Amino acid sequence: EYLIGKHFLNQRTSESIESSVQHFQTAIQRDSNFALPYASLAYAYTLIGVAGYGNIPREVAETRAREAVSKALAIDETLAEAHAALGYIKFRIDWDWQSAERELKRAIYLQPGYATAHEWYALFLAVHERLDEALSEMLKAWQLDPLSPSVNTGLARIYYFRGEDVKALQQVKKILEAEP
């Protein structure tokens, strides 16, 4: 169930995000001490709250995201995915820049091969106009997960933010070919 939920989460449509939530909840019902589904559920609810995926009111989605990440960290304080999800909440919902950066860096420290942590950290850096660092982080994410629609879209965004319109357009075309 968890892996199916992760698959749907990466598709980034309202329907797929809602499906991911259902699969993560099923995984949690099967094993309430499995931290990964809680961390992924926090990520899904953050997307619902800040990006408008799904039909849940923003306040409800944000509360559920916080509850899920708290549960994940209570189960496993060393789980990179949970620290990344908390960092994403601090970044996208709370605008608590210091905590967001600390948590995202912690996630990368705990699991350097976790593409999503690099992706979110890259977007955080881009918001703060640290565009060279942002590109470096997003390229790490892309090297770790070159098929991820989210990472590929993030790479296009970073190119665009850097004023590299040709590279951004080329990246978008690649995305549309792979995921129409």
Side-chain angles (χ1 to χ4, degrees):
E1 285 298 320
Y2 169 73
L3 292 176
I4 295 169
K6 288 292 287 184
H7 169 75
F8 282 117
L9 185 62
N10 277 334
Q11 292 180 348
R12 294 292 199 287
T13 66
S14 291
E15 297 80 19
S16 69
I17 299 293
E18 289 176 6
S19 292
S20 75
V21 167
Q22 292 171 0
H23 286 284
F24 296 140
Q25 288 173 336
T26 299
I28 289 166
Q29 288 171 355
R30 290 185 179 163
D31 183 355
S32 63
N33 290 314
F34 184 27
L36 276 172
Y38 288 105
S40 296
L41 192 58
Y43 176 25
Y45 280 129
T46 302
L47 284 174
I48 290 168
V50 300
Y53 292 103
N55 294 319
I56 299 171
R58 181 181 178 121
E59 301 78 25
V60 172
E62 290 174 1
T63 298
R64 291 180 183 172
R66 290 178 208 287
E67 290 169 353
V69 79
S70 293
K71 183 66 174 173
L73 287 168
I75 295 169
D76 186 353
E77 173 61 33
T78 66
L79 184 66
E81 290 85 345
H83 285 280
L86 180 57
Y88 196 61
I89 289 168
K90 296 294 182 185
F91 167 35
R92 295 295 311 270
I93 295 173
D94 298 339
W95 296 7
D96 178 350
W97 308 131
Q98 189 174 26
S99 296
E101 186 166 22
R102 182 184 64 244
E103 292 298 330
L104 292 168
K105 283 181 165 182
R106 176 97 172 122
I108 291 167
Y109 171 79
L110 289 168
Q111 189 177 335
Y114 182 40
T116 302
H118 290 283
E119 174 191 1
W120 293 342
Y121 188 43
L123 295 174
F124 170 87
L125 293 166
V127 166
H128 291 88
E129 299 181 5
R130 294 162 58 185
L131 298 177
D132 290 341
E133 292 173 85
L135 179 60
S136 176
E137 286 297 323
M138 194 61 78
L139 287 172
K140 287 176 190 172
W142 182 81
Q143 289 168 348
L144 292 165
D145 194 357
L147 301 179
S148 167
S150 178
V151 169
N152 277 285
T153 301
L155 184 55
R157 286 182 189 171
I158 300 299
Y159 285 139
Y160 175 76
F161 295 154
R162 290 171 51 90
E164 298 180 57
D165 297 343
V166 172
K167 285 185 177 180
L169 186 57
Q170 290 171 339
Q171 187 65 25
V172 168
K173 286 179 181 177
K174 288 179 191 175
I175 296 163
L176 290 173
E177 288 173 11
E179 292 286 335

